[in-house]
């Protein structure tokens, strides 16, 4: 079965500082038409910083859409579509936690919610950390958190870490290190 | 440090069939003001269906924002904010794969991209599956996929499964079953 949906018409509803909203008319595989409303986003990067003692460095941040503080791995949007994702990861790690790292490992990409956004988040793990000064964005306020990997996995399994990219990336790191050790 | 961002003004930019877009003026922890643009969404549910043979049932679906087919665990949006998430999970499982299940286990919640959406996805694993007729939404075309859990974990680790909720929920199931077995 052919699954492809074809664009018939595309209308930009909103052009924002970060997100752009579109409403498109499409044709379905059965020939009928439908609407698709979705966000275009420049894409993001996130990094799991692993200390030599097996701790994960995180940030606590107020997330306005949820009206609550959320604990996440350091992350941010790409400066532009031209920015190399790994360079973006190094930048976010420095900005939010003041960390530079000797070694980065790719953890693949992450589509946050494919029904209505085109955002691609590039995921990395970072090792060999050096701690220095942070360099936060002017409208961004974050507090550092440090949690042992085993404890963080337990928190994820207990539903205490709702952020999706943090769940996926930290479980990947746990899987990776377990298979490296054995 | 106080991290809370306070709403000063909220403007609805777009009222859609599924997503609503808002642009708010807020006050930051340091007293300065900033803008927050974000989507309000009714929320979603996803389910990892595990067969008695240790296979995971998935769906292949064309995701228009990415312009590609994506393999995901069955998922959908809540019919309304009143719909019990577990009932929504049972409904999506039946609609997309024709499956009913004897036993459900909660895998917690998943915030897909907390910078610009308030969507909460409730995650479940399902066991004791019975296969019957599907009941798809009229504008939704999906094909079933069946992959051994161990192989799916390898695919996730290799970056071959970009969908975020699928990465997180399947890695949780793998962790859960590994700890149950031992």
């Amino acid at each position: 079965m052919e699954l492809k949906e074809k664009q018939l018409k595309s209308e930009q509803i909103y052009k924002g500082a970060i997100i752009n909203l579109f409403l498109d008319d499409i044709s379905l595989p059965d020939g009928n038409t439908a609407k698709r409303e979705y966000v275009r986003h420049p894409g993001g990067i996130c990094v799991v910083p692993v200390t030599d003692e097996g701790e994960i460095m995180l940030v606590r941040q107020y997330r306005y859409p949820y009206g609550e503080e959320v604990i996440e791995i350091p992350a941010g949007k790409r400066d532009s579509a031209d920015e190399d994702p790994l360079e973006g990861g190094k930048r976010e790690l420095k900005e939010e936690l003041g960390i530079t790292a000797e070694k980065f490992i790719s953890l693949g990409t992450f589509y946050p919610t494919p029904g209505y956004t085109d955002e691609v988040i590039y995921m990395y793990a970072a090792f060999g950390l050096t701690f220095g000064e942070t360099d936060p964005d002017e409208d961004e306020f974050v507090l550092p958190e440090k949690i042992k990997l085993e404890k963080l996995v337990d928190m994820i399994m207990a539903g205490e870490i709702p952020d999706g990219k943090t769940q996926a990336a930290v479980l990947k790191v746990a899987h990776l290190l377990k298979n490296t050790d054995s």
Side-chain angles (χ1 to χ4, degrees), chain A:
Chain A
M1 186 168 84
E2 169 68 62
L3 296 172
K4 189 170 164 63
E5 299 173 347
K6 296 187 189 71
Q7 184 184 82
L8 301 175
K9 197 185 111 185
S10 182
E11 182 189 358
Q12 182 157 4
I13 302 286
Y14 172 74
K15 188 173 162 47
I18 299 165
I19 64 179
N20 295 293
L21 184 69
F22 290 83
L23 178 62
D24 289 10
D25 293 322
I26 62 145
S27 67
L28 294 165
D30 64 3
N32 287 324
T33 60
K35 302 268 188 189
R36 291 287 180 258
E37 48 191 25
Y38 62 100
V39 167
R40 288 203 185 278
H41 183 281
I45 326 106
C46 63
V47 182
V48 184
V50 186
T51 71
D52 293 346
E53 289 73 36
E55 299 143 333
I56 307 300
M57 301 302 303
L58 303 123
V59 292
R60 175 186 291 272
Q61 184 169 8
Y62 189 81
R63 288 304 200 172
Y64 183 76
Y66 292 101
E68 64 188 58
E69 292 176 12
V70 179
I71 293 175
E72 304 170 40
I73 51 176
K77 59 180 181 301
R78 291 168 76 183
D79 270 350
S80 74
D82 296 331
E83 184 186 47
D84 178 70
L86 178 55
E87 292 306 312
K90 291 178 181 175
R91 181 178 49 72
E92 289 293 339
L93 204 51
K94 177 66 185 160
E95 284 177 7
E96 297 194 344
L97 287 168
I99 292 173
T100 51
E102 279 173 21
K103 185 181 167 193
F104 286 83
I105 292 176
S106 171
L107 300 173
T109 56
F110 178 97
Y111 292 0
T113 183
Y116 65 91
T117 182
D118 75 344
E119 182 182 8
V120 177
I121 300 174
Y122 292 81
M123 314 175 92
Y124 299 94
F127 302 90
L129 311 183
T130 303
F131 291 78
E133 291 295 307
T134 62
D135 179 25
D137 287 342
E138 64 174 16
D139 69 341
E140 192 173 56
F141 296 82
V142 306
L143 289 175
E145 297 269 349
K146 184 168 70 177
I147 304 177
K148 270 271 182 196
L149 176 59
E150 294 71 23
K151 187 186 173 196
L152 186 56
V153 169
D154 288 345
M155 291 171 74
I156 289 171
M157 292 305 296
E160 294 167 13
I161 302 288
D163 180 52
K165 64 184 176 299
T166 302
Q167 293 178 22
V170 169
L171 291 175
K172 283 185 178 186
V173 167
H175 187 89
L176 203 66
L177 294 182
K178 192 171 291 179
N179 290 1
T180 313
D181 289 351
S182 61

